[in-house]
Amino acid sequence: MPDTYSLISPAPTTNMQPGSPLILGIMASGSGSNFEAVAIAIENGDLHAKVAVLIHNKPDIQAIDRAQKRGIPTVFLDHLNYATRAELDRAIVATFQTYQVECVVMAGWMRVITQVLIDAFPDRLINIHPSLLPSFPGIHAIEQALAAKVKITGCTVHLVSLEVDAGPILVQAAVPVLPNDTSETLHARVQIQEHLILPQAIELLAQKINTDRISL
Ligand code: GRF
């Protein structure tokens, strides 16, 4: 059976004028504090971008409130309504194309993604992870850092590849692990750095994409 994702054309990029803000699509499954950090960096003029839409796969999450407060559209794609991961990703790509998204940020997206999404946004699909990759990939990064008794952990923004938490690294920040840390206290300290490096990484990509626009 042919895979219908090949019928989806890549996200539009060449119609964007040099100097125009990078159009972002955000994917979130939870609190959305990283998404909000991106929105604040844009408001402060530290990031030349615009969030076109937030996709979420869970109802009633805080990320929705953070988007609505800023007038950012939200789209609920319940993963339970899709038979396969690829089908969900096709719906995600179609939504982002509707909003002319150029670059996608997985900001606490708790689903494994497929080649469908990667192919639609080559080198423009990024993720934030709460460890210094390649250490502690997966969903228990904070707990694993504590169990390993490392003295320093951190966070990583990276391009997304099919292997989970393994794509090329864009920006990292180190965070000390303190003797009495719990997963909550350590995660809170890591998140302070996440909120700094995620906008930085997107701005790096935005500048690269703008250079590509000029040379087209
Ligand atoms: C972050 O710690 C991120 O590294 C991980 O999920 C968490 C999302 O937090 N992938 P938030 O929803 O942005 O507050």
Side-chain angles (χ1 to χ4, degrees), residues 28-37 62-63 66 106-110 127-131 138 142 154-156 165 187 190-191 194-195 198:
S29 303
S31 123
S33 70
N34 279 286
F35 153 53
E36 186 158 67
Q62 203 185 347
R66 297 190 206 258
M106 293 166 52
W109 182 255
M110 302 306 282
N127 181 48
I128 178 133
H129 182 77
S131 76
I142 298 285
C155 46
T156 303
D165 300 326
H187 195 201
V190 168
Q191 286 221 291
E194 289 188 334
H195 299 163
L198 183 57

Side-chain angles (χ1 to χ4, degrees), residues 16-194:
M16 307 311 290
Q17 294 300 311
S20 62
L22 182 68
I23 308 298
L24 299 175
I26 309 277
M27 297 162 62
S29 303
S31 123
S33 70
N34 279 286
F35 153 53
E36 186 158 67
V38 170
I40 291 170
I42 292 171
E43 286 158 15
N44 290 345
D46 295 329
L47 171 56
H48 191 46
K50 176 188 168 182
V51 179
V53 61
L54 168 86
I55 291 179
H56 58 102
N57 67 320
K58 292 189 177 169
D60 306 326
I61 56 172
Q62 203 185 347
I64 304 168
D65 301 333
R66 297 190 206 258
Q68 287 175 347
K69 207 168 67 184
R70 296 185 157 75
I72 295 170
T74 62
V75 175
F76 178 38
L77 298 178
D78 187 344
H79 57 270
L80 300 174
N81 290 337
Y82 297 88
T84 64
R85 293 184 193 279
E87 270 183 43
L88 172 64
D89 284 0
R90 277 189 274 274
I92 293 170
V93 171
T95 303
F96 282 149
Q97 288 181 339
T98 301
Y99 285 88
Q100 302 215 313
V101 164
E102 296 176 278
C103 176
V104 174
V105 181
M106 293 166 52
W109 182 255
M110 302 306 282
R111 305 287 304 169
V112 172
I113 58 98
T114 69
Q115 196 67 39
V116 173
L117 196 54
I118 295 170
D119 286 349
F121 294 95
D123 292 337
R124 292 171 183 209
L125 175 62
I126 69 176
N127 181 48
I128 178 133
H129 182 77
S131 76
L132 288 175
L133 291 172
S135 292
F136 314 129
I139 59 171
H140 300 297
I142 298 285
E143 292 76 11
Q144 286 176 7
L146 286 172
K149 300 191 189 308
V150 293
K151 303 296 179 202
I152 293 174
T153 185
C155 46
T156 303
V157 182
H158 63 96
L159 292 173
V160 174
S161 61
L162 208 49
E163 190 182 343
V164 174
D165 300 326
I169 290 168
L170 297 174
V171 183
Q172 290 185 305
V175 174
V177 182
L178 302 182
N180 295 324
D181 261 336
T182 62
S183 54
E184 287 75 25
T185 59
L186 180 55
H187 195 201
R189 198 174 310 114
V190 168
Q191 286 221 291
I192 292 169
Q193 295 304 314
E194 289 188 334

